Amino acid sequence: MNEDIEVVVIGAGVAGLGAAAALRAAGRSHVILEASGRAGGRAWTAYPAALGGVWFDMGAIWFHDAENNPLTPIARNAGDTLLRSDEIRGERTYIDGRPINASEARAYDAAWPRYAAAAEALLKDGGDVPLSAVAQALADDRWAPTVEAWEGPVICAADADTFSTRDWRRNALGGLNLVPEGGVGAFVTRRLTAGLDIRFDTPATRIEWGERVKVETPAGTVTAKACIVTVSTGVLASGALAFDPALPAETRDAVHALPMGLAIKVALRANGPDRLDLPGHCSVDRQVARSGESLMPFQCWPFGRDYVQGWIGGGLAWTLAKAGEAAVIDHALGELRALFGGRVDRLFAGGGTLVTHWDSDPWVRGAYCYALPGHAAARDILARPIADGRLNFAGEGCNVPYAGTVAGAWLSGQAAARAALAAL
Ligand SMILES: Cc1cc2nc3c(=O)[nH]c(=O)nc-3n(C[C@H](O)[C@H](O)[C@H](O)COP(=O)(O)OP(=O)(O)OC[C@H]3O[C@@H](n4cnc5c(N)ncnc54)[C@H](O)[C@@H]3O)c2cc1C
C-alpha cells in the first residue's frame, strides 16, 4: 500500500466518516486508514448472546439534541426509524431505598435549572472553576450533589473536581434524544460508510508532516497533500502515533488538557418474569448525599426488553474497570439491592451479563474526553488547522457545542475536511 493521494484520513469513526463524506462531495481523492477491523469506532452496535442477541449499542446510543443533530436528517432521509426514547421513558427516583414523593419530585425538577444558574454565576467573570464548586456554592440544596453526579461522572464521564465548569456549560446538551432503531453503530455502518475506501487493520504509526504528509503503517506508506487525524485524545496522549516534526506545543498541551473520561455500561438480564414493579423503559436513579459521591443510574427494561442497563462514570469507572468484570457486576447488583432489596439477587442470578471495556480498547482508551478546569479552550486549539491545513485534528474532542457526541465528531470531521481542502 504505497500510495499518493490528496487527503489521508486516520480513523473510520464518525469524525473520519464525516471528513470522507465532505472530501467525496468535493471530488478529492482520499483514503481512510482504520486500525481496527470495523468502522464506527465508538459508535458500535453489538448483538450479545448474553442479552438474547438483541441489538445493543456498546458506545453511543442517542442522537442528542435531535432537532439540530446533523445525523438526524441523514437518518430521516434514508427512511430510518428514530425511536422517541424520551417520550416513552418512565422515571423513578429513590431516597434511602424509598421512591420520592410528589413534593420531592418537584424539588428535584427545580434543582436542574438552579444548578445551571449557579454555574453561570460562577463563570460570569470569565474564569473557570471545577464543576464541584457549583454544588459547594449550593451548600443548602439537597439535590445539587445528585445533579452534579449526573452532569459530571454519568453524562460527561468526568469527576466533578477535575472537570471544567466552562467546558460543561459550553457543551450542555438540551433538546430531544432519539434512538435510531437497530442502533447508532448499525446506522453508522449502514448509512455513513457506503462507497468509502476504508483500509481496515491498518494503524497509522507515524506521520511526517512537511511539504507533503507521509503516513506510515505496517502495510506501507501513504503520501498525501493533507492529513486529517481523528483518533481520540487518549490515543494521541499514549504516543502510539508518532509525529515528525513533533506537534506544536499548544497542540500537545491541548491533548493533555483533554483527558479521556470513562463510562462503563453494564447490562443484567432477568431470569424470570419479575420486573421490580417498574414500567418498561424506566429510568431509575437516587438522591446522592454529598458532592463527589457516585451515582449509578439504570435504564430498566429498555424498549420493553428483559434486562436493565446501568452506567458507571468517572474515577469509579476507571477503578472498577481495573478490578475486573466481577467487581463491576457486584457494584451494579449492590446499587440495585439498595433500591429493591434481595429480590434483585434472585432475579439476576444466572441471567446473562454484559460489561463494556472502552478503557482497554487500545484504539480508543476511554469513553470520551473532558476539559480540565481552566482549559475549556483546548478543544478550539486542537481543532485549529496546522501547517496551513496540511495537518488537521478532528473528533469528538474538537467540537463545541457537541463535544463527546457523534454529532460533534461528524461536524468536526467536516470542518477538518474544509481546512484540508483549503490546503489543496
Ligand atoms: C459508553 C459510551 C456511550 C456514549 N453515548 C453516546 C450517545 O448516547 N450519544 C452520542 O452522541 N455520543 C455518545 N458517545 C460518544 C460517541 O460515541 C463519540 O463521541 C464518537 O463516536 C466519537 O467519534 P470519533 O470519530 O471522534 O472517534 P472514534 O469513534 O474513537 O473514532 C476514531 C477511530 O480511529 C481509529 N484509530 C485509533 N488509532 C488509530 C491509528 N493509529 N490508526 C488508524 N486508526 C486509528 C479507532 O479504531 C476508531 O475507529 C458515547 C461513547 C461511549 C464510549
Side-chain angles (χ1 to χ4, degrees):
M1 194 191 66
N2 294 305
E3 295 181 36
D4 197 351
I5 43 136
E6 291 183 295
V7 185
V8 55
V9 179
I10 316 294
V14 175
L17 299 174
L23 295 169
R24 184 171 55 182
R28 297 302 191 151
S29 64
H30 59 281
V31 62
I32 308 180
L33 306 179
E34 168 54 49
S36 75
R38 59 172 182 83
R42 284 168 268 174
W44 173 27
T45 305
Y47 306 87
L51 302 181
V54 294
W55 59 266
F56 183 92
D57 274 314
M58 308 291 274
I61 176 165
W62 288 288
F63 285 178
H64 297 300
D65 195 14
E67 307 91 328
N68 301 305
N69 191 310
L71 300 179
T72 304
I74 298 177
R76 289 221 166 104
N77 293 339
D80 289 343
T81 301
L82 296 173
L83 302 169
R84 303 183 79 81
S85 167
D86 295 352
E87 284 174 16
I88 59 169
R89 188 180 64 216
E91 285 175 2
R92 294 282 190 284
T93 298
Y94 294 76
I95 297 179
D96 298 331
R98 62 154 179 93
I100 57 173
N101 60 36
S103 86
E104 288 164 335
R106 279 193 299 278
Y108 189 18
D109 283 347
W112 297 82
R114 199 163 49 230
Y115 187 90
E120 291 293 348
L122 287 171
L123 298 178
K124 77 174 182 317
D125 64 356
D128 196 4
V129 289
L131 190 66
S132 50
V134 182
Q136 282 156 17
L138 292 169
D140 298 330
D141 186 333
R142 291 188 58 211
W143 288 100
T146 309
V147 179
E148 174 195 282
W150 268 104
E151 297 292 356
V154 172
I155 295 177
C156 295
D159 287 343
D161 57 348
T162 57
F163 180 27
S164 155
T165 302
R166 188 165 293 284
D167 190 45
W168 172 62
R169 286 311 292 159
R170 288 178 92 198
N171 292 291
L173 293 172
L176 194 66
N177 298 296
L178 295 179
V179 174
E181 186 159 34
V184 170
F187 160 80
V188 168
T189 40
R190 187 170 67 243
R191 302 294 178 208
L192 306 184
T193 63
L196 295 179
D197 184 357
I198 307 176
R199 311 290 167 88
F200 292 106
D201 302 307
T202 309
T205 52
R206 186 164 175 278
I207 299 179
E208 219 179 282
W209 51 286
E211 277 310 301
R212 292 183 67 77
V213 181
K214 270 172 68 179
V215 179
E216 287 176 16
T217 80
T221 302
V222 178
T223 309
K225 291 184 180 143
C227 176
I228 298 172
V229 181
T230 72
V231 308
S232 72
T233 59
V235 171
L236 290 173
S238 75
L241 184 51
F243 289 87
D244 182 12
L247 291 174
E250 66 161 16
T251 310
R252 276 182 282 145
D253 291 348
V255 168
H256 292 290
L258 295 169
M260 296 295 278
L262 185 61
I264 301 178
K265 285 190 191 179
V266 190
L268 307 171
R269 191 175 184 203
N271 66 15
D274 184 3
R275 292 293 176 265
L276 301 171
D277 307 319
L278 297 170
H281 209 71
C282 185
S283 171
V284 170
D285 70 353
R286 64 175 173 81
Q287 189 181 60
V288 162
R290 73 196 79 78
S291 170
E293 185 183 315
S294 71
L295 168 70
M296 182 173 187
F298 288 87
Q299 195 178 35
C300 297
W301 329 120
F303 303 113
R305 291 173 174 184
D306 61 357
Y307 61 82
V308 300
Q309 61 184 15
W311 282 260
I312 306 170
L316 177 65
W318 286 108
T319 304
L320 287 172
K322 269 200 201 86
E325 261 193 31
V328 174
I329 291 166
D330 260 9
H331 180 80
L333 285 171
E335 291 277 325
L336 287 167
R337 209 176 287 124
L339 304 180
F340 303 106
R343 69 199 276 199
V344 161
D345 295 291
R346 291 188 293 281
L347 178 58
F348 295 111
T353 59
L354 177 142
V355 176
T356 59
H357 290 283
W358 293 103
D359 56 304
S360 56
D361 181 328
W363 308 117
V364 181
R365 296 172 183 259
Y368 30 87
C369 66
Y370 61 96
L372 297 174
H375 294 278
R379 297 190 190 278
D380 314 281
I381 296 170
L382 190 58
R384 242 175 239 164
I386 298 170
D388 300 322
R390 290 199 301 284
L391 178 61
N392 307 280
F393 288 93
E396 53 88 8
C398 296
N399 184 263
V400 175
Y402 291 127
T405 71
V406 288
W410 177 260
L411 291 171
S412 83
Q414 301 223 308
R418 284 193 294 276
L421 288 170
L424 306 181

